[in-house]
Amino acid sequence: MQLNGNAQTKTGIENYNLKSSNEPYLWMPIVHRTGKKGLHTEFRYNYEERKTASVYIGKNFSRDSTLSYSVTPMLGWVFGEFNGGSVALNADADYKKYFVSVQTQYTASKNGATGNFFYTWAETGYQPVDWFYAGLSTQLTKVYEEKTVLEYGLLVGFNIKKVTVPVYVFSPFGKDRNFILGINIEW
């Protein structure tokens, strides 16, 4: 999982398909672009809430080395079924064949604090060969004045040229299993 430095323009389309025992199928596309000077833009749909879109802008700081990293703080506007603003941070690092990735955000509803939430997605893993990686993932959601929801999961992924196919299973040993299949391309 090699990270790109600020000297390159990077564009990607992420396509996630979510299926759980408690919720209907959900399609979640994400389009992002980071320019040569690190300006990062991102468009998401069904990420913060169903039938909701969001637009983010931020600045990417990264370095390619033995220990590579990328940190992108962002501000966002959320509109649709949920309306409000968001502050987010994407961070990735890799060292040799190990990687860690965290996406976190605090999103405030324009309708008052009861809709506000904090969300974090984190994963870590090992990539023994160029075409395959595996690891662990977790997601944490805290809605204002509600109980924190924490889910753990397993991750396997496949790289085919510029296409990455991650597969996640959250709560793999429980009755409330969630499956996520991604088909992502970056250039």
Side-chain angles (χ1 to χ4, degrees):
M1 206 171 179
Q2 190 65 26
L3 300 171
N4 294 324
N6 282 341
Q8 300 177 14
T9 297
K10 182 171 69 170
T11 304
I13 299 171
E14 301 174 43
N15 175 35
Y16 295 101
N17 301 275
L18 291 72
K19 183 63 182 132
S20 99
S21 55
N22 300 331
E23 299 284 333
Y25 166 80
L26 181 68
W27 174 59
M28 188 175 56
I30 301 169
V31 178
H32 59 85
R33 177 169 169 58
T34 302
K36 289 181 181 179
K37 297 190 183 213
L39 179 66
H40 180 85
T41 54
E42 194 168 300
F43 172 80
R44 305 170 179 174
Y45 186 70
N46 286 333
Y47 193 93
E48 285 81 7
E49 177 69 61
R50 288 179 184 274
K51 299 180 182 175
T52 298
S54 55
V55 178
Y56 286 84
I57 187 164
K59 173 79 172 161
N60 176 266
F61 304 93
S62 62
R63 185 182 112 194
D64 261 341
S65 186
T66 303
L67 173 62
S68 295
Y69 67 85
S70 173
V71 177
T72 308
M74 301 182 294
L75 292 174
W77 172 46
V78 183
F79 52 96
E81 291 293 314
F82 184 101
N83 292 288
S86 191
V87 177
L89 178 74
N90 294 346
D92 302 287
D94 67 81
Y95 176 74
K96 297 185 179 181
K97 296 182 180 212
Y98 298 92
F99 65 89
V100 63
S101 176
V102 177
Q103 294 180 333
T104 191
Q105 69 185 72
Y106 181 78
T107 304
S109 171
K110 78 169 196 168
N111 296 325
T114 58
N116 296 356
F117 66 90
F118 174 80
Y119 176 75
T120 295
W121 174 290
E123 57 189 54
T124 187
Y126 180 71
Q127 186 172 358
V129 292
D130 287 343
W131 61 269
F132 175 79
Y133 58 94
L136 303 172
S137 187
T138 185
Q139 57 181 344
L140 178 142
T141 306
K142 173 63 176 144
V143 177
Y144 181 76
E145 293 188 343
E146 290 186 19
K147 184 179 176 185
T148 300
V149 177
L150 179 62
E151 288 185 285
Y152 296 99
L154 303 173
L155 156 69
V156 296
F158 306 91
N159 296 321
I160 307 152
K161 297 185 181 181
K162 294 184 178 193
V163 177
T164 303
V165 180
V167 179
Y168 301 87
V169 180
F170 283 94
S171 303
F173 307 109
K175 60 181 169 123
D176 296 331
R177 259 181 235 107
N178 296 312
F179 296 93
I180 301 173
L181 169 66
I183 302 171
N184 308 329
I185 185 167
E186 199 167 83
W187 63 94

